[in-house]
């Protein structure tokens, strides 16, 4: 069984895998694993999965570097990376924003064309990656991950950079 989620759902997918050994693999699409300290201003609180790591495969899919970026930029993702013994990979969807891993990627441009939302709002929500490329890359990478870890079919897409998907930046 595998689990995938975006934002809070991505964090939940990893935490659920940590807590439930039946989950063999998980994908976190831009879900943070750290939160402000108890007073809300100082320090960082890490989730259990970030502090203890995982012994099974997981995939992190982040957004452009000035948003969430790669695992090295996020305390929770960085701690998870360092504490995990299972296979793991991190890719950043260049030009994306938090909403790029949702249906907002295809719906918001339609609303913008109709004048319902401003171009600046569109860029803030989904970035400047072409929607068709964002959707194709997301679907392809998530499918390749689960095909490999749940079905035993390795396409080698997750091995590193891909000429087919230059917008997916591999984070070593």
């Amino acid at each position: 069984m595998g689990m995938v989620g975006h934002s809070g759902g991505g964090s939940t997918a990893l935490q659920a895998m940590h807590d439930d050994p039946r989950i063999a693999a998980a994908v976190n699409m831009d879900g943070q694993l750290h939160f402000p300290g108890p007073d809300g201003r100082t320090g960082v609180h890490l989730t259990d999965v970030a502090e203890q790591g995982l012994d099974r495969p997981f995939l992190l899919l982040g957004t452009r570097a000035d948003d969430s970026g790669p695992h090295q930029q996020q305390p929770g993702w960085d701690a998870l990376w360092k504490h995990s013994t299972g296979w793991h990979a991190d890719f950043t969807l260049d030009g994306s924003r938090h909403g790029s891993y949702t249906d907002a990627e295809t719906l918001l441009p339609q609303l913008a064309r109709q004048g319902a939302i401003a171009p600046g709002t569109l860029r803030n929500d989904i970035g400047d990656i072409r929607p068709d490329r964002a959707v194709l890359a997301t679907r392809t990478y998530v499918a390749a991950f689960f095909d490999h870890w749940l079905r035993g079919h390795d396409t080698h897409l997750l091995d590193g950079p891909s000429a087919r998907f230059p917008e997916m930046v591999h984070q070593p």
Side-chain angles (χ1 to χ4, degrees):
M1 170 173 44
M3 192 166 177
V4 61
H6 168 259
S7 194
S11 304
T12 300
L14 294 182
Q15 187 65 49
M17 187 166 86
H18 172 270
D19 297 344
D20 188 340
R22 295 174 298 171
I23 300 172
V27 178
N28 177 355
M29 296 184 292
D30 211 31
Q32 70 179 30
L33 301 175
H34 68 279
F35 301 92
D39 67 2
R41 293 186 304 272
T42 59
V44 172
H45 172 74
L46 298 175
T47 61
D48 290 345
V49 67
E51 287 183 338
Q52 298 166 15
L54 292 166
D55 62 356
R56 283 158 283 150
F58 66 88
L59 176 62
L60 300 174
L61 295 177
T63 56
R64 70 184 191 198
D66 65 340
D67 199 11
S68 67
H71 68 272
Q72 298 94 333
Q73 285 183 205
Q74 295 190 52
W77 281 21
D78 192 47
L80 173 69
W81 196 266
K82 291 174 180 171
H83 295 126
S84 294
T85 58
W87 182 96
H88 47 283
D90 178 6
F91 287 87
T92 299
L93 183 57
D94 193 33
S96 67
R97 294 298 299 241
H98 190 66
S100 293
Y101 292 114
T102 71
D103 352 1
E105 188 64 53
T106 55
L107 297 175
L108 292 183
Q110 294 175 50
L111 292 173
R113 284 192 296 277
Q114 296 171 4
I117 62 171
T121 301
L122 183 66
R123 278 188 302 279
N124 287 339
D125 290 345
I126 61 169
D128 54 18
I129 185 169
R130 283 185 16 215
D132 61 322
R133 292 300 297 175
V135 170
L136 180 62
T138 302
R139 287 179 179 171
T140 303
Y141 275 73
V142 171
F145 175 78
F146 286 125
D147 281 349
H148 178 76
W149 294 107
L150 300 181
R151 295 186 175 134
H153 176 70
D154 190 359
T155 64
H156 300 285
L157 180 65
L158 303 173
D159 293 348
S162 168
R164 189 170 155 219
F165 292 99
E167 58 273 273
M168 273 298 206
V169 180
H170 180 248
Q171 305 295 337

